[in-house]
Amino acid sequence: MKRLLIAGTNSGVGKTTISTAIMAALDKVTPFKVGPDYIDPRFHEFVTENPSYNLDIFICGEEAVKKIFIDGSSRGNISIIEGVMGLYDGKNHDLDNGSSAHMARLLKTPVMLVVDAKGASTSVAAKVLGYKLLDSRVKIGGVILNNVSSEKLYDLLKEGIERHTGIKCFGYFPPNPEIELGSRHLGLRQAEEIEGLKKKLEVLKEMAEKYLDLEGILEASETDEVIESSYESEKIKDMFKGLKVAIARDTAFSFYYRSNIELMEYAGMEITGFSPLNNEKIPENSDFIYLGGGYPENFGEILENNKITQDSIRNAYENNIPIYGECGGFMYLGKGIKDKEGVYHKMCGLIDVDVEMKNRLNIKRFGYINFETTDGLKGRAHEFHYSDISRVGDEKCYFDISKENGRKWQCGFTKRNLLAGYPHVHFWGNIEFFKKLFEKGRR
C-alpha cells in the first residue's frame, strides 16, 4: 500500500497548499485529514473527486481510526493524509496526543515534512534534525521546502539537510501569490469561486510537476507494513435497515463527516437529501431528519423567507419525526440568528433559543470536549463556532460538557423528538450515542 502523511513544522508553512498540489498531480488519490476539520476535506474532494475522510484519535479512538483508514485506502492507488498544525502538536505535550506524528505511528505511515525555508540556510537542517530526533518512532520519509526563491538556493539547502539529517529532499515551492487559497470558506463555493479555485489548482498541479520529485515521493510512500484494526463495526450492520433519513445538503448545510454518512448506510439507512436554501420540503415518508453544520448565518434572509422548508420541518416535528441538528443545524432550528450586521433572521423556532454572530471564534467553547448525556452516555466531540447563544427560554439541556482545562457548561437542547446543539459528534467514536440517536427514528 502506498501511503504518505504530509505534515508541517508548524501551522502556516504551506502544508495545505503542498498537500493539495500533490493530490492534484497524482492519480487515484484517497485523501484523509487529521483532526475534526471540515474545510480541508472539501479541498481534497474538489481536487481528487474522491471522498475525504477525517482521522481523529481523540474523538474516535485508535481502532476506529485504523478501520476508517483501511476501508478508505482500498479505493485508490495512494492514500495522502494531510496533517494538522505542526507535526507534534496535539492536545497536550505527550507524544500520544492525537497529533500528526501520533497518527503517522498509528498508521505506520511515512511523513513528508513541509518546511518554510524563507530567510534560512543551514538552520533549516537543524530544524529538520530536531523533528527527526524528538520521536524516533516517527519515520520522516522526506522533506519539501516552501518559499525557496531559486533552484540554486534549493540545491544549497538540500545539500545541508541531507548531509546533517540523512533525510532526502523531494523538491521545493517558490513564492507564488497565485496559489494563495484565501479564507478557505469552501462552504460558500459559488460558481465564480469554483472557477477561481480550478485555476489555482491548475497552477498547483503545474508547480508540483515542475518543482517536486513526484516519482521519488511515490517511492517514499511505499511500505509493506500491515495495519490491522479490532474495531467491530459488524455489530451494527443493517441495524437500522430501511430507516429513511432526510439530510439537509446545500452550501448552507455542508459539514458532515464522510465516515458518519457511510456508517449510516452500513447500518442500513436509506439517505435522501433536501435543500433548505432551495426551499425544498422534507422528503416524503422520512423517519428521521438530520441537519448538519455549515453557514446558515450567511444565508439568513433566504432561509428566513423559505417557508416551505420551515413549515415541513415544523410539521415533521409535530408528527413526532425525530430531528437532530449540529451547530449550523442547531442554529437553524432555533428562533433566529442575528448576523454580524445586527440583522435578525427568523428560523424554524422549534427551540426557544436565539444566537448572535461574532467577529471572533468563541475560544471558550472551542476544541475537543467530553460530554455526558442526561441518560448516562459518555463520549467525545468537537465545537467550533463564531456565534454565541444570546437568549435561552425554558429549554432542557442533554449534554453536560467539560474540557480538560476544567471549563464546564451545558448544551444540546432537547424536547420531545428533537435534539440540537453546537457539538459535532463523530459516530465512529460514539457508537452508543449513534445507536440511541437513530433508535428514535425506528420507534
Side-chain angles (χ1 to χ4, degrees):
M1 182 189 293
K2 291 185 175 69
R3 56 184 186 264
L4 194 67
L5 190 151
I6 301 175
T9 54
N10 52 277
S11 296
V13 298
K15 172 179 73 264
T16 295
T17 298
I18 289 173
S19 297
T20 304
I22 292 174
M23 290 179 189
L26 298 180
D27 292 327
K28 295 183 179 179
V29 173
T30 301
F32 298 85
K33 172 66 182 179
V34 178
D37 179 82
Y38 287 101
I39 304 299
D40 288 336
R42 295 290 296 276
F43 264 105
H44 301 166
E45 294 180 348
F46 192 90
V47 173
T48 67
E49 298 182 350
N50 286 321
S52 182
Y53 300 91
N54 292 78
L55 303 172
D56 197 308
I57 294 173
F58 177 81
I59 293 178
C60 294
E62 292 187 346
E63 296 307 313
V65 164
K66 288 191 288 186
K67 176 66 174 171
I68 292 168
F69 184 72
I70 291 167
D71 290 349
S73 293
S74 65
R75 303 180 181 186
N77 291 339
I78 181 171
S79 297
I80 301 290
I81 308 168
E82 181 182 347
V84 62
M85 299 186 291
L87 176 60
Y88 291 103
D89 298 331
K91 63 185 179 68
N92 53 38
H93 294 306
D94 296 334
L95 295 180
D96 289 342
N97 61 352
S99 65
S100 299
H102 186 185
M103 188 67 69
R105 286 192 285 107
L106 177 70
L107 300 180
K108 304 175 183 179
T109 297
V111 172
M112 189 65 61
L113 187 65
V114 178
V115 182
D116 188 341
K118 184 178 180 180
S121 180
T122 312
S123 296
V124 175
K127 181 181 289 188
V128 173
L129 184 62
Y131 281 82
K132 175 183 178 180
L133 296 179
L134 182 63
D135 189 346
S136 61
R137 298 170 297 173
V138 178
K139 179 185 176 183
I140 299 181
V143 170
I144 294 174
L145 300 177
N146 196 21
N147 286 318
V148 178
S149 57
S150 68
E151 185 173 359
K152 184 176 180 179
L153 176 57
Y154 168 69
D155 289 338
L156 179 68
L157 295 169
K158 178 177 183 289
E159 193 274 331
I161 290 169
E162 293 183 349
R163 178 200 295 185
H164 293 295
T165 71
I167 299 174
K168 188 175 179 180
C169 292
F170 290 93
Y172 71 99
F173 262 26
N176 187 339
E178 284 188 70
I179 61 175
E180 293 178 3
L181 296 173
S183 66
R184 306 190 324 175
H185 259 49
L186 280 192
L188 304 175
R189 293 194 304 164
Q190 308 302 327
E192 62 272 16
E193 290 177 302
I194 290 177
E195 291 303 313
L197 184 55
K198 285 182 177 178
K199 183 178 179 181
K200 291 180 191 293
L201 293 176
E202 290 172 3
V203 174
L204 283 171
K205 182 179 180 181
E206 291 171 1
M207 290 180 66
E209 293 170 345
K210 181 177 181 179
Y211 295 109
L212 301 182
D213 177 6
L214 293 174
E215 288 189 9
I217 289 171
L218 282 172
E219 289 180 10
S221 72
E222 292 179 355
T223 176
D224 56 3
E225 292 197 76
V226 177
I227 307 169
E228 296 179 338
S229 171
S230 62
Y231 191 88
E232 297 180 345
S233 59
E234 296 80 8
K235 291 183 177 180
I236 65 161
K237 182 171 177 58
D238 294 331
M239 177 179 286
F240 297 105
K241 188 173 181 62
L243 190 74
K244 296 177 175 61
V245 181
I247 295 184
R249 279 178 163 165
D250 53 34
T251 50
F253 303 98
S254 58
F255 290 174
Y256 298 94
Y257 293 124
R258 173 70 65 165
S259 299
N260 276 3
I261 303 301
E262 292 188 3
L263 187 67
M264 292 166 64
E265 292 172 333
Y266 181 76
M269 300 181 202
E270 299 174 12
I271 296 174
T272 57
F274 70 97
S275 171
L277 274 184
N278 292 325
N279 206 18
E280 294 176 354
K281 287 184 178 181
I282 304 300
E284 291 185 10
N285 302 317
S286 295
D287 301 311
F288 196 103
I289 300 170
Y290 182 7
L291 296 121
Y295 304 110
E297 68 274 14
N298 291 326
F299 304 95
E301 185 176 357
I302 297 173
L303 293 173
E304 179 179 29
N305 293 329
N306 286 357
K307 302 300 184 183
I308 292 175
T309 302
Q310 286 196 27
D311 288 343
S312 71
I313 290 176
R314 284 191 285 262
N315 289 337
Y317 174 78
E318 292 300 329
N319 288 319
N320 292 315
I321 295 174
I323 302 172
Y324 176 55
E326 286 184 322
C327 203
F330 150 64
M331 294 161 62
Y332 180 61
L333 292 169
K335 284 283 188 180
I337 302 170
K338 181 185 287 188
D339 64 25
K340 286 189 287 188
E341 285 70 43
V343 180
Y344 182 83
H345 301 285
K346 292 182 179 179
M347 296 292 131
C348 294
L350 293 179
I351 317 168
D352 190 12
V353 172
D354 286 320
V355 299
E356 181 176 352
M357 299 308 302
K358 303 293 185 180
N359 290 318
R360 294 183 179 181
L361 181 68
N362 187 337
I363 198 67
K364 291 182 180 180
R365 290 178 55 170
F366 162 71
Y368 288 126
I369 58 174
N370 298 290
F371 69 77
E372 183 171 359
T373 68
T374 54
D375 45 11
L377 297 179
K378 294 183 179 181
R380 291 174 168 179
H382 186 265
E383 283 199 22
F384 185 101
H385 46 93
Y386 281 81
S387 63
D388 280 335
I389 296 172
S390 58
R391 185 196 60 82
V392 181
D394 185 21
E395 301 288 3
K396 296 179 181 179
C397 288
Y398 185 62
F399 296 120
D400 285 318
I401 293 174
S402 64
K403 290 176 65 71
E404 292 193 359
N405 62 11
R407 185 171 284 128
K408 296 181 179 180
W409 64 92
Q410 290 185 318
C411 193
F413 300 97
T414 181
K415 57 193 296 187
R416 285 178 48 185
N417 48 312
L418 181 147
L419 171 62
Y422 278 123
H424 291 282
V425 180
H426 200 301
F427 296 150
W428 283 73
N430 298 280
I431 203 68
E432 294 304 317
F433 175 86
F434 168 80
K435 290 190 289 188
K436 188 145 198 164
L437 180 68
F438 288 103
E439 183 64 33
K440 297 175 182 178
R442 188 155 60 184
R443 289 201 299 267

